[in-house]
Amino acid sequence: MSSSVLSPLSQIPPHLQTLADYETQAQKHLSDMVWQYLQGGAMDEYSVRDNRQQFSKIQLVPRLLNDLTQGSTEIEILGQKFPHPIFLAPIGHQQQFYPDAEAATALAAEVLGSNFILSTFTNTDLRRLKAENPFKWFQLYWQGEREKSLALVKLAEAQNFKAIVITVDAPHTGIRDRERRVFFHLPENMQHPHTPTHIPLPELREDQHPVFNGLMQIAPKWADIEFIIANTHLPVILKGVLHPADARKAIAIGVKGLIISNHGGRVLDTAISPLKALAKIKSVVPADFPLLLDGGVRRGTDVFKALAIGASAVLIGRPYIHGLAVAGALGVAHVIKILKEEFEVTMALMGTSTPDDINTDYISQE
């Protein structure tokens, strides 16, 4: 770490009031290489920007004079109750941002009652996370074959994780210009207890295509998802679905929930924003089918808008990593607290006492 990079803070300074403040502060605590990795996206980064901009195109239409004295932010997904609908998205290699990595994130999430989705590429052994914490799901990156993938699922089962989230939108890494310009690389000694950072590729003949016969040959297919569903008692959720036809197919094979996401704009540039995709998918799935929105959430009003369009909960990614870089577990907890309080005030000002009250009647999309 160069001398120009600030060490993590041991207390929160008063100027950190918003998620945007944390974003500004976080850059001072990370090397330029790691910062460009965190903030960057695929190609021209249209999707990175669009994920956030779509929220500003929706206006709120409040209802007044309602009795909100019994108000609550509690939600229920797949029979599990959560104190609020702000979840932490799976992000790998968190040791880049703070020495205690996912252990610090998990602690903050537990204290604030935020559901934490642990990445396959965790630097922290999942057995180190508190087994009795009910608010944790495990995210699976396909390991190139069924048995290796199922072994991770079984490990998550044994450690009391409550759901399996399979990321399906990144069978190939996105072309990230920012990363390439700064020659991004992970530290050589970085530990990934559950998986190698690179799945071994099939050997190619001269006449075979490096993309289609390489990575895509070992990428998961629908039948692989069915295999996992058949071999775990945990609900399986797919992350990265954007097309209504894929949503319908997922339901047909027994998937229990979807995370509507374009991977933070990091994989396929100009992909539809999750907020737009959510509206399209909501119209083709059963009314009570869990849809979670991942991407672009920076304000409590954004959480409200996502729920109004049909999300059961939202995921935040980069914002909590900004908190982690600034002040470890304390920073992550503060980021969640800021967003949660903004959401609570928004609910009150909108005249809604519970998340179930929130629907399209409260927004204008003209």
Side-chain angles (χ1 to χ4, degrees), residues 1-63:
M1 192 175 280
S2 70
S3 58
S4 61
V5 176
L6 297 181
S7 297
L9 304 177
S10 58
Q11 57 186 32
I12 305 298
H15 73 271
L16 295 180
Q17 300 282 339
T18 68
L19 271 56
D21 293 338
Y22 266 97
E23 183 170 353
T24 301
Q25 183 70 32
Q27 187 170 7
K28 302 171 185 176
H29 296 264
L30 298 171
S31 69
D32 184 58
M33 181 186 74
V34 172
W35 179 251
Q36 301 302 342
Y37 164 80
L38 173 62
Q39 296 297 106
M43 296 188 180
D44 296 311
E45 300 186 355
Y46 285 111
S47 287
V48 175
R49 295 187 293 274
D50 191 46
N51 285 2
R52 295 174 66 168
Q53 290 167 355
Q54 287 301 320
F55 284 100
S56 66
K57 297 179 181 180
I58 297 171
Q59 293 180 305
L60 298 174
V61 187
R63 298 293 305 276

Side-chain angles (χ1 to χ4, degrees), residues 93 121 186 190 192 195-199:
H93 325 301
F121 289 129
L186 293 169
M190 180 174 276
H192 294 87
T195 183
T197 51
H198 297 290
I199 308 300

